[in-house]
Amino acid sequence: MIQDIYPKKLNNSYNPAAKVNDNSLIVVHDAGKFLLKIDEDNATIAFPTVKDLKDYNNYIYLFQVSGEEFFYAPDFDKEKDVIPDGFDFYTMKQLRNYYLNPKHYVFASYTAIQLIDWYEANRFCGKCGNKNELSKTERALVCPSCGHVRYPRINPAVIVGVRNGDKLLLTKYRTGFAHNALVAGFTEIGETIEETVEREVLEETGLHVKNITYYKSQPWGIASDILMGFYCDVDGDDTISMDESELKYAQWVSREDIELQPLEYSLTNEMMKQFKDGIK
Ligand SMILES: [Zn+2]
């Protein structure tokens, strides 16, 4: 999965004293794209360093991965600042689809984009409209006028493997992702995670479920989400009544007929594989 970067490890605790040096890795972001050097022959990826970015000089600390520190360049302007030789802007999808190495750089990109989205969406205080400032002690944005403190937000979401004996409920979304998926959705305010599982399965397929058991989680990041995977069993009538506004396909599929996704980054794929292999 995307966060499986062993033996590397993400350390996302905030370090207000962190300062860039010439070799610090910089995440430059522009409208959903990252400034990177991709070598397609070797399927490798590189971030620009402070040295590469020449005269640019405003950085915000993000996190480190096994000692390598990542910073963000909040004011980088691709029209005015120097784009280093060999670097270009790439989408998150391109990053994943090329299956690039090192894997922890792909994961770092997905983690960085969540923090960057949060910084960019909270430049101004949501209560009084004044310009926010960086907290000096923790990962937070503070309003100097009214004192409102804004912390990063993560959206909880579930992925559900619904079993019916030797079959698993597979879905395909109406738009976007073309491969097999599982029922998935975000937790609503006031809901338990288990209730999210029951509601999403019912909304998308009309099925009731029982024996809900937790499997594992995945920081996914595209929607600032933390995905929590659950298996459960269909309860009662197994007739699927698909939500056609969201799905174009929802079917019971036998273990041997399950077609996995082409890449191994997602919790959804791992959960389908666990079932296919007879483990779950
Ligand atoms: Zn304020």
Side-chain angles (χ1 to χ4, degrees):
M1 296 194 290
I2 197 162
Q3 76 274 18
D4 293 334
I5 57 172
Y6 180 83
K8 301 279 184 183
K9 192 159 172 42
L10 172 75
N11 177 354
N12 199 359
S13 62
Y14 189 58
N15 175 8
K19 292 268 184 298
V20 289
N21 61 53
D22 273 2
N23 298 316
S24 300
L25 301 177
I26 307 302
V27 183
V28 178
H29 170 253
D30 179 75
K33 295 181 172 184
F34 297 100
L35 183 66
L36 299 164
K37 187 192 275 184
I38 290 183
D39 179 339
E40 285 184 46
D41 292 338
N42 300 315
T44 57
I45 175 181
F47 284 94
T49 61
V50 168
K51 212 167 20 183
D52 292 325
L53 296 182
K54 306 247 172 3
D55 294 336
Y56 179 87
N57 62 17
N58 181 30
Y59 298 103
I60 293 175
Y61 175 69
L62 291 176
F63 48 75
Q64 57 162 271
V65 180
S66 296
E68 278 185 298
E69 288 187 320
F70 289 76
F71 290 79
Y72 153 52
D75 303 322
F76 190 90
D77 182 334
K78 68 176 181 184
E79 308 301 331
K80 293 191 195 129
D81 291 306
V82 176
I83 297 199
D85 282 348
F87 282 80
D88 206 343
F89 284 92
Y90 294 90
T91 63
M92 295 175 79
K93 206 170 170 186
Q94 284 173 308
L95 271 188
R96 206 171 69 218
N97 290 356
Y98 290 159
Y99 214 73
L100 300 161
N101 285 302
K103 292 282 173 279
H104 67 280
Y105 279 8
V106 178
F107 176 59
S109 304
Y110 274 65
T111 308
I113 194 71
Q114 290 186 67
L115 284 166
I116 291 170
D117 274 348
W118 171 74
Y119 278 117
E120 290 185 348
N122 291 283
R123 289 175 189 216
F124 296 93
C125 174
K127 297 234 174 193
C128 77
N130 266 281
K131 203 165 191 312
N132 277 330
E133 294 177 351
L134 297 179
S135 162
K136 292 180 174 57
T137 55
E138 57 186 344
R139 176 102 59 198
L141 289 161
V142 183
C143 174
S145 176
C146 76
H148 181 61
V149 181
R150 183 80 184 167
Y151 295 99
R153 290 282 192 272
I154 301 173
N155 301 316
V158 299
I159 294 178
V160 192
V162 186
R163 295 171 298 214
N164 185 5
D166 215 32
K167 292 179 176 164
L168 189 66
L169 179 64
L170 298 189
T171 66
K172 282 187 184 177
Y173 299 117
R174 262 198 97 67
T175 53
F177 193 66
H179 304 287
N180 280 326
L182 299 173
V183 167
F186 288 99
T187 301
E188 299 287 353
I189 289 173
E191 207 173 44
T192 66
I193 303 293
E194 292 82 354
E195 285 169 340
T196 310
V197 170
E198 291 172 353
R199 178 182 52 77
E200 285 293 342
V201 176
L202 185 62
E203 281 178 4
E204 292 189 15
T205 65
L207 298 168
H208 293 272
V209 296
K210 61 185 179 185
N211 307 330
I212 298 171
T213 52
Y214 177 67
Y215 173 57
K216 62 165 80 163
S217 67
Q218 172 171 56
W220 186 233
I222 293 172
S224 292
D225 39 357
I226 174 81
L227 302 173
M228 287 163 270
F230 291 84
Y231 288 97
C232 56
D233 297 302
V234 66
D235 188 11
D237 188 356
D238 65 359
T239 311
I240 296 167
S241 162
M242 188 180 77
D243 175 2
E244 291 184 12
S245 66
E246 205 164 323
L247 302 177
K248 70 171 174 195
Y249 168 98
Q251 252 174 355
W252 297 115
V253 181
S254 301
R255 290 183 202 273
E256 62 274 19
D257 296 331
I258 293 176
E259 257 182 61
L260 298 174
Q261 296 173 357
L263 298 174
E264 293 182 350
Y265 283 127
S266 79
L267 175 59
T268 299
N269 193 64
E270 181 172 304
M271 288 178 66
M272 291 193 299
K273 188 167 190 304
Q274 290 275 311
F275 186 82
K276 186 180 173 73
D277 294 347
I279 301 165
K280 285 288 172 184

